Amino acid sequence: MSITQDQGKMSTTAKQHQKLPEGLTESQLKAIYEAMLLTREYDDRCLKLQRQGRIGFYAGSFGEEACQIGTAFALREQDWIFPSYRQPGVALLRGVPLQSMMNNLFGNSADVVEGKQMPVHYTSREHHFLSISSVIGTQVIQAVGCAMAAKIKKDEAVVLTYFGDGGTSSNDFHSGMNFAATFKAPCIFALVNNQYAISVPVSKQTSVECLADKAKAYGMTGIQVDGNDVLAVYRATKEAMQRAKVGEGPTLLELKTYRAGPHSSSDDPTRYRSKEETEKWLKRDPILLFQKELESLGIWTEAYEADVKASIQNKISEAIKVAESLPQPPWESLFEGVYSNDPQALMAQKEDILTHESGLELTNEGEFPL
Amino acid sequence: MAEMTLLQAINTALHEEMARDEDVVVLGEDVGVNGGVFRATEGLYQKFGAERVMDTPLSESGIIGSAIGMAVYGLKPVPEIQFADFIYPAFDQIVSELAKMRYRSGGDFTSPVVVRTPYGGGIRGGHYHSQSPEAYFCHTPGLQVVIPSNPYDAKGLLKSAIRGEDPVIFMEPKKIYRAFKQDVPQEDYVIPIGPANVVRSGTDVSVFCYGSMVQVAEKAANKASEDGYQVEIVDLRTLYPLDIQTILNSVKKTGRAIVVYEAPKTCGYGAEIAATIAENAIEYLEAPIIRVAGLDTPFPYTLEYVYMPHPARVYRAIQDVLNF
Ligand SMILES: Cc1ncc(C[n+]2csc(CCOP(=O)(O)OP(=O)(O)O)c2C)c(N)n1
């Protein structure tokens, strides 16, 4: 089964009957749009911060706004997210405070992990948003375990995990799919097929043309969705949620989209793909597509857009200002939190360094090259 | 002679070895069209083609497992693991298979694979782009572990590794990939796997180190020489097999030993050096052996400069052994 752009359009014809698509209210549709805009603006500003040398690294999600918001909007508070590093919009939509995310990017003293992780590696248990690992694929099988636990405890929670087309080559993707289907775990695999794993195109990643087909081999439902059509993504996620809730187990959702920006602040995509290719995809910018849809429903106006953007930009500027003004975390923090109890050897290292080196003027030398 | 960085030396060695022996193949993530994320494989794809320079799917166990199969058949694979931090999905293939192929088959099968991987901190890479996992591999009989500290050694050691008959984990200190240039001969040369290199001779203290820590030790030694002390620096170059004789000769001369490495201190490679010295030359020692190492924490982001051994920390250890 495949949900295409055309089917997405069909639902918008509902407006003639004064009905809004997907049973969403006007304010919900606006919330979706605003979340997409926020994601875009956040990415844009953060990449600029990196270019200006104010933060050390950034990886944006340009072009993947519909994949993020369409899925996350279908989830409930009790559901869980096992993300990769490319879903800032999901974190924001779940309610992870912008300030907290900005503090991570600056690795400052107010950062919840006090600068222990690289930029874009957020964490928030409160929002059921698992701490992000850089290691490709590891979260996939963990999400399945989390869903198995919810099932064992008879809680009505669904776990959604994000990973890329590159991630489908990892061992943990395969064991994740197999475990999920075997245990009928209430989880959703959101495969964001942005067609690149750094420089490697999806055609070199797998021989399968439709990645959703991979589901068949594991005995689960697989659906390819137009990942630039936010309402199509939303509908497919809702349906996957329904399957999970009634005990039919997992779904693989292939969200077909395009990584419109560089892999990260260290990547130069002109080395491996043409400008024409990128421009072709930019014509299907998910924000633009949804904007047109909202306009045709009489919801979007230029004034509305300007208002929303201004307010987003103010919020982001404020968060940057605060994050940038905060000092680095204290050296003590480095030694804390490895275990629930501090080991003797580590405490000896702490004492040695604090005693002998506190007065030294040390700084970071390197720059992240990738 | 040509002036080049460590990264260019690696790239040159790969070009020359692929031209010399058509059985040499390169595989890994982004190593083809893109020339590697650090550009270590730049130009290989264009020169030797997609069959010998393979962009693989994103699977480290796939990369190493397939390299083992290729080696068993008779090729000389030189896989790249993009960051040493991502070598763990291939850990099983490396420690259970690669390392044991010769021994378990009585030499019937061998897998002379050279696994290249950038390692180490100092680039603001946080937990997953900074680790130094050499000790795991030194602890696995059947593997050789090589870590160059400069462009000249990098070219010669990589060539030896590729021409050898046993597997090598070839770890490249990415912090100094582009940090400095050195004259590197344009003609073919090899540096054998095994011997350490006394990069600075001295009579008062021995500092044993490898990779990017050699430069750190040199800065500390310069400072100590202002105080009138002569520090000997031994660049191990090969961690396994270890050049025990050079280490003992140095300690017997100086009577004081410091080991510098950036991996977490506990069970790091420096413990092996310290134990080797204690077993074989304790009667020559005039002070305890000191390990200057990374901390027993995951590798941090903001405070990596506190985590990483730095010249002042090595200098402090030098003073400690001198004043003992
Ligand atoms: C196990 C592992 N190997 C290699 C890397 C280096 N790396 C980081 S991102 C990336 C590509 C990932 O592509 P994909 O899964 O498609 O996700 P995308 O970046 O496109 O969102 C690679 C190879 C890694 N992080 N983890």
Side-chain angles (χ1 to χ4, degrees):
Chain A
M1 177 185 150
S2 163
I3 295 183
T4 64
Q5 170 70 1
D6 290 344
Q7 282 170 295
K9 284 260 169 61
M10 247 165 53
S11 56
T12 66
T13 59
K15 86 173 162 151
Q16 284 141 6
H17 312 287
Q18 300 301 318
K19 271 212 291 182
L20 295 174
E22 305 307 326
L24 293 163
T25 63
E26 178 171 339
S27 72
Q28 285 175 316
L29 289 167
K30 278 181 163 172
I32 291 174
Y33 185 68
E34 288 164 24
M36 291 171 77
L37 272 189
L38 172 61
T39 308
R40 175 69 56 91
E41 293 293 320
Y42 179 81
D43 276 335
D44 193 46
R45 291 289 291 278
C46 295
L47 189 58
K48 283 194 184 115
L49 285 178
Q50 194 283 337
R51 300 287 187 230
Q52 294 161 351
R54 292 157 76 185
I55 60 173
F57 172 82
Y58 194 70
S61 63
F62 305 101
E64 299 176 25
E65 296 84 0
C67 298
Q68 299 174 71
I69 307 306
T71 43
F73 203 79
L75 300 187
R76 304 151 305 172
E77 210 177 315
Q78 73 261 36
D79 300 323
W80 287 67
I81 309 273
F82 279 56
S84 84
Y85 46 78
R86 217 183 284 288
Q87 290 84 39
V90 174
L92 289 163
L93 187 69
R94 292 293 289 181
V96 180
L98 181 58
Q99 189 62 59
S100 160
M101 292 169 64
M102 205 55 86
N103 290 339
N104 157 270
L105 300 184
F106 283 88
N108 62 26
S109 58
D111 173 25
V112 285
V113 298
E114 298 185 286
K116 284 172 175 135
Q117 277 252 61
M118 253 185 122
V120 313
H121 291 66
Y122 314 110
T123 178
S124 180
R125 185 174 185 100
E126 187 190 342
H127 302 94
H128 292 185
F129 187 91
L130 185 76
S131 155
I132 296 169
S133 167
S134 312
V135 188
I136 298 296
T138 49
Q139 74 277 17
V140 179
I141 178 70
Q142 295 165 3
V144 177
C146 185
M148 288 164 67
K151 192 175 167 186
I152 290 166
K153 292 195 144 218
K154 304 201 169 23
D155 291 334
E156 212 214 77
V158 173
V159 183
L160 189 146
T161 180
Y162 295 94
F163 52 94
D165 39 300
T168 64
S169 297
S170 71
N171 294 354
D172 291 334
F173 165 76
H174 294 286
S175 50
M177 296 283 283
N178 193 34
F179 269 57
T182 304
F183 287 96
K184 290 225 179 312
C187 60
I188 301 171
F189 298 89
L191 191 189
V192 182
N193 178 4
N194 65 13
Q195 304 189 47
Y196 282 93
I198 310 185
S199 74
V200 180
V202 66
S203 59
K204 285 189 177 180
Q205 203 65 244
T206 174
S207 265
V208 168
E209 290 231 343
C210 170
L211 271 64
D213 286 350
K214 286 180 187 271
K216 273 192 204 125
Y218 296 95
M220 84 168 73
T221 308
I223 295 169
Q224 190 183 56
V225 187
D226 177 354
N228 286 12
D229 180 343
V230 71
L231 294 182
V233 174
Y234 172 75
R235 173 157 21 108
T237 310
K238 274 271 191 200
E239 287 167 5
M241 292 273 293
Q242 190 54 30
R243 272 189 290 278
K245 280 196 265 182
V246 300
E248 285 175 20
T251 304
L252 172 64
L253 294 180
E254 179 195 354
L255 311 174
K256 197 163 181 193
T257 182
Y258 188 77
R259 198 196 71 214
H263 167 73
S264 75
S265 47
S266 328
D267 178 44
D268 173 11
T270 62
R271 287 178 66 93
Y272 53 81
R273 66 186 191 186
S274 71
K275 261 209 176 103
E276 293 73 50
E277 180 193 289
T278 307
E279 273 158 14
K280 190 187 108 196
W281 275 90
L282 288 179
K283 287 197 190 111
R284 297 206 64 246
D285 178 338
I287 296 187
L288 216 59
L289 293 184
F290 193 44
Q291 176 196 307
K292 282 191 192 135
E293 194 158 353
L294 292 185
E295 191 176 18
S296 72
L297 292 166
I299 293 173
W300 185 91
T301 62
E302 268 174 27
Y304 162 69
E305 172 101 2
D307 260 13
V308 175
K309 267 202 179 148
S311 129
I312 287 173
Q313 275 162 359
N314 283 340
K315 269 200 294 195
I316 296 176
S317 299
E318 188 52 33
I320 293 173
K321 211 166 95 188
V322 172
E324 200 163 30
S325 72
L326 290 167
Q328 286 194 350
W331 286 15
E332 287 84 350
S333 67
L334 182 53
F335 304 87
E336 292 158 5
V338 187
Y339 299 91
S340 53
N341 291 311
D342 295 326
Q344 208 181 330
L346 181 56
M347 289 307 101
Q349 292 168 15
K350 176 179 177 180
E351 197 191 320
D352 176 65
I353 285 177
L354 295 183
T355 309
H356 297 285
E357 297 185 6
S358 291
L360 296 181
E361 280 192 23
L362 303 172
T363 48
N364 280 322
E365 296 168 10
E367 251 183 69
F368 193 69
L370 177 71
Chain B
M1 287 285 181
E3 280 241 301
M4 58 177 82
T5 62
L6 197 152
L7 189 63
Q8 288 164 332
I10 301 275
N11 182 254
T12 306
L14 289 171
H15 270 279
E16 290 179 12
E17 288 305 290
M18 288 195 78
R20 182 189 61 80
D21 178 356
E22 61 180 30
D23 283 341
V24 176
V25 297
V26 163
L27 64 159
E29 294 153 12
D30 305 283
V31 300
V33 179
N34 201 32
V37 295
F38 290 99
R39 311 289 177 248
T41 57
E42 177 103 58
L44 295 177
Y45 178 88
Q46 289 74 10
K47 190 144 162 211
F48 300 104
E51 211 157 64
R52 291 181 64 197
V53 185
M54 295 166 257
D55 273 325
T56 66
L58 203 166
S59 167
E60 286 74 15
S61 61
I63 292 166
I64 302 301
S66 64
I68 293 172
M70 291 176 200
V72 161
Y73 194 83
L75 293 182
K76 277 283 191 163
V78 187
E80 175 180 293
I81 298 296
Q82 200 165 88
F83 281 82
D85 311 69
F86 305 135
I87 207 165
Y88 305 117
F91 201 66
D92 194 25
Q93 286 291 343
I94 293 174
V95 304
S96 305
E97 306 300 317
L98 184 63
K100 296 173 177 57
M101 191 61 77
R102 175 185 293 280
Y103 195 74
R104 80 179 193 210
S105 69
D108 207 13
F109 294 102
T110 59
S111 49
V113 173
V114 179
V115 182
R116 289 184 41 252
T117 190
Y119 84 97
I123 59 148
R124 309 207 66 206
H127 294 346
Y128 300 110
H129 303 85
S130 309
Q131 296 168 68
S132 299
E134 65 274 14
Y136 296 124
F137 303 113
C138 295
H139 192 58
T140 304
L143 300 177
Q144 304 176 96
V145 180
V146 175
I147 304 186
S149 71
N150 60 65
Y152 178 83
D153 286 359
K155 181 175 168 187
L157 286 167
L158 183 54
K159 285 182 164 239
S160 272
I162 292 173
R163 295 177 197 185
E165 299 191 354
D166 289 301
V168 177
I169 308 296
F170 193 89
M171 299 176 61
E172 301 166 2
K174 61 181 172 292
K175 179 178 184 230
I176 55 169
Y177 258 161
R178 299 182 174 90
F180 59 95
K181 288 189 172 179
Q182 199 179 30
D183 274 337
V184 174
Q186 260 152 335
E187 59 272 22
D188 189 41
Y189 68 95
V190 293
I191 294 176
I193 288 176
N197 185 22
V198 179
V199 291
R200 178 188 187 118
S201 59
T203 47
D204 300 318
V205 183
S206 302
V207 176
F208 302 101
C209 50
Y210 48 92
S212 71
M213 288 297 115
V214 174
Q215 278 201 312
V216 171
E218 275 172 355
K219 284 184 189 153
N222 288 341
K223 183 102 168 54
S225 81
E226 289 168 18
D227 307 336
Y229 294 106
Q230 301 313 315
V231 174
E232 177 147 304
I233 299 178
V234 180
D235 175 1
L236 298 174
R237 296 201 293 204
T238 302
L239 273 53
Y240 203 96
L242 181 61
D243 183 353
I244 295 173
Q245 204 48 57
T246 299
I247 294 171
L248 296 182
N249 289 347
S250 180
V251 173
K252 286 177 184 174
K253 180 169 64 170
T254 64
R256 296 179 182 87
I258 293 167
V259 198
V260 187
Y261 57 104
E262 53 176 291
K265 184 174 181 181
T266 298
C267 285
Y269 190 70
E272 186 57 39
I273 305 292
T276 301
I277 295 168
E279 277 177 349
N280 297 289
I282 201 160
E283 67 274 26
Y284 292 87
L285 290 180
E286 290 175 43
I289 305 161
I290 293 187
R291 288 174 285 169
V292 179
L295 306 174
D296 288 356
T297 69
F299 199 100
Y301 176 68
T302 304
L303 296 175
E304 80 168 336
Y305 60 89
V306 182
Y307 178 99
M308 293 272 288
H310 48 74
R313 195 172 291 163
V314 177
Y315 176 67
R316 178 153 65 88
I318 292 172
Q319 287 177 311
D320 285 348
V321 293
L322 284 168
N323 299 330
F324 182 75

